[in-house]
Amino acid sequence: MGVTYKYFGAPDGATAARVPISMRPEELGGDELGMGGMFTKIKPETMAAMVLTGIEGVPLHKVPPLELVVLHPDYAVVKLPMTVVDPLRGIGEEAVGAAAFIWSTVPDRGGPRDAFNVYQLLHEWQDFSHRLHEAGHQAYCLVWP
């Protein structure tokens, strides 16, 4: 069994830190985490690097670290910078396609490699980015070992 990542929106770190630990990943997604969260096997560090490098052109060594909100023996919650979420809202099809192609050429253990799969993933992230913005939330990720 691998690590599961649940991306969700919350208005602030205090709210994000109150993620219920007694629930299994497949049970999450209610009001506490905001409807429309996303489950994935893609690490938040990978998403941050892909968006900032593939879309924004930031050199990989300048991608900022994620902010740790909670570190618990059973789970962790990290905050993704808005610089990772916001760029997705304003790009068009060409930029999504170019970023998908760039990411598909980078060796990634266990992650998507096919450009079309990456393209679909980016569209899911784009929708997620719009939902976060409309709700006035920031992006967080709940990680289970």
Side-chain angles (χ1 to χ4, degrees):
M1 192 160 129
V3 175
T4 301
Y5 303 99
K6 166 74 177 190
Y7 292 90
F8 66 97
D12 53 50
T15 304
R18 290 192 299 268
V19 172
I21 63 168
S22 62
M23 301 177 95
R24 295 195 321 261
E26 59 272 13
E27 294 173 333
L28 292 170
D31 292 338
E32 306 85 21
L33 298 183
M35 298 305 283
M38 295 185 357
F39 282 111
T40 183
K41 295 290 185 184
I42 310 291
K43 297 189 306 185
E45 297 87 354
T46 303
M47 276 311 300
M50 190 282 307
V51 170
L52 292 175
T53 302
I55 295 173
E56 293 291 289
V58 174
L60 196 53
H61 69 280
K62 292 198 175 195
V63 172
L66 304 177
E67 179 184 328
L68 182 65
V69 176
V70 174
L71 181 59
H72 184 276
D74 297 327
Y75 70 96
V77 176
V78 295
K79 177 182 174 188
L80 282 78
M82 290 313 286
T83 55
V84 172
V85 181
D86 285 345
L88 291 167
R89 288 198 337 268
I91 62 171
E93 287 297 309
E94 286 183 20
V96 171
F101 176 75
I102 290 167
W103 196 20
S104 72
T105 64
V106 176
D108 186 11
R109 292 179 295 166
R113 290 177 191 85
D114 179 77
F116 184 70
N117 290 343
V118 177
Y119 176 81
Q120 289 177 311
L121 174 71
L122 283 172
H123 271 291
E124 289 176 31
W125 270 88
Q126 202 170 33
D127 292 342
F128 181 58
S129 175
H130 284 288
R131 289 193 307 269
L132 286 175
H133 180 72
E134 289 166 9
H137 287 179
Q138 298 175 37
Y140 293 90
C141 184
L142 177 60
V143 181
W144 291 273

